[in-house]
Amino acid sequence: MTDKNTPTSSGDSAKEVIVADIGGTNARFAIAKVLNGKVLSIDNETILKTADYATLQLAWDAFGQKIGRALPKAASMAIACPIRGDILKFSNSPWIIRPALLADQLDLDEVILINDFEAVAHAAAHSDGSYLKHIFGPKRKEKPTGVTTIVGPGTGLGVASLIFDEDSYRVIPSEGGHITYAPCDHIDISILRYLKQHYRRVSAERIISGPGLGNIYDALAASAGLAVSHHSDSNLWDSALKGTDHLAAAALERFCLNMGTICADIALVHLANRVIISGGIGQLLADYLPQSGFGERFVDKGRFERMLAQVPVELLTYPQPGLLGAAAAYAVKHTK
C-alpha cells in the first residue's frame, strides 16, 4: 500500500471511499483514499460488534457518528458470504443484505460488494514485502507470477486464488474451505470419526478454523478416554500457544499438520507457485507455524513432493486485510 504521504502527480486528486469488512462477529469500517489503481491511505478504522446492532444500516450510522464527519458517497464492502442472489445471509449473524436496495439504504451513489476472502486476495496483491512473512519453502525473490493460493483460517476457512499477468492481476473467489476433510493418518481418522458423531458432514473448516482447535481437542480427549471439558475457543488457543495444557498443545500440533495438508491440497488444485496464509488464526501462528509439522505435511504429496517443496509459503501480516482489500478492489475497478 502506498504511504498516505506519497505525493501524487500534478492534477491528480485522490477519491475518498468508505471501506467495510463485514463478518459474523465484527463489522469493520474505515475511510480510504484511492488514486490510479492504488490505495493511498486508510484512516478512521472502527470495529463494531454485529451483535450490538440489529442491522447493517444501524452499524453504518454508528460508524458515521463515531468519526464525527460526513461520509463519502462511494463504498466498497467485503462480505463474509457468497455474493450471489437478491439476498445475502450470514451464517453467524442475523443481518441480511439486499444488494439492490443497499445504495438507497446507506445514502450512497455507488457501492461495490465482494466476498470477504476475495478482499484478502486483493490485499495480498497490494501488500509489499514488509507485510509478508516467510513460513516455509524457498524464499521468494522474484516478482510474483502465475497463480497464488490464498488460505485463511479465522471463524471459518477462507480460500481464493490470485492470478498475476504482467502488471495486472485478477482474483478468483471460492468456497474452498468447505471441501470435505481428508484424514492422512490414524489420528486424523479418529478425529474424523469423532466429529462424524456431531456433524452430518465434516468439512476442512471444521478442523482448520478458530473453532477447529476445539474440535481437535475434544476428539483427542475422547480417543484418550479423558473427560471432555467445556472451554472457550480463546482460552483454548491461549493454553495451546503457551503450552500450559498438554492436550491443547497436542491439538495445536495436529491443527498445524492438517493445515499443511489442506494448504497443499488447494495449491495442487490451483497449480499454484506460491501460497499466502491470512486470517486471524494465521496471525496467531506467525511464530509457531514455521517450527511445527506444517512443512512436513505440506510436501507429503507423493509424486508431487518435489514440486511442492519449491512452492514458497508466506503469511500476510497486514493488520486489517479486509479493509485494505475492499479499498484495493475499488481502486482497481476505477483505474484510469
Side-chain angles (χ1 to χ4, degrees), residues 110-286:
E110 179 187 20
V111 59
I112 294 174
L113 299 180
I114 60 174
N115 172 264
D116 62 332
F117 223 72
E118 186 177 354
V120 171
H122 278 285
H126 281 251
S127 296
D128 59 30
S130 63
Y131 288 113
L132 291 168
K133 175 182 173 67
H134 177 261
I135 297 295
F136 177 76
K139 290 190 176 181
R140 181 176 53 87
K141 299 178 181 179
E142 299 81 14
K143 182 179 178 181
T145 59
V147 181
T148 294
T149 288
I150 315 288
V151 181
T155 303
L157 179 61
V159 174
S161 56
L162 178 61
I163 304 174
F164 291 93
D165 183 12
E166 295 182 353
D167 293 328
S168 64
Y169 73 89
R170 58 193 176 101
V171 173
I172 309 297
S174 84
E175 290 296 332
H178 295 283
I179 60 176
T180 301
Y181 171 59
C184 290
D185 61 20
H186 71 282
I187 298 177
D188 286 351
I189 290 171
S190 71
I191 293 171
L192 177 60
R193 285 174 175 164
Y194 176 84
L195 294 181
K196 285 290 287 183
Q197 300 173 35
H198 302 273
Y199 302 106
R200 183 174 62 87
R201 175 178 175 269
V202 180
S203 64
E205 78 168 17
R206 295 293 188 191
I207 306 292
I208 306 304
S209 63
L213 184 67
N215 285 336
I216 299 172
Y217 180 91
D218 292 345
L220 294 180
S223 294
L226 303 174
V228 175
S229 61
H230 295 288
H231 52 74
S232 70
D233 290 340
S234 60
N235 288 340
L236 187 61
W237 275 99
D238 186 61
S239 298
L241 289 165
K242 290 180 179 177
T244 55
D245 179 330
H246 291 174
L247 185 60
L252 179 59
E253 180 59 27
R254 183 57 45 173
F255 181 100
C256 293
L257 288 169
N258 278 282
M259 188 170 170
T261 296
I262 290 167
C263 284
D265 284 344
I266 296 170
L268 285 175
V269 169
H270 292 163
L271 199 59
N273 53 24
R274 180 173 66 147
V275 172
I276 291 179
I277 297 169
S278 184
I281 301 305
Q283 300 277 1
L284 285 178
L285 295 174

Side-chain angles (χ1 to χ4, degrees), residues 8 18 25 39 63 70 85 89 129 145 176 207 209 242 250 258 304-305:
T8 60
I18 305 168
T25 303
V39 180
F63 167 60
K89 295 182 178 180
T145 59
I207 306 292
S209 63
K242 290 180 179 177
N258 278 282
F304 288 91
E305 179 176 338

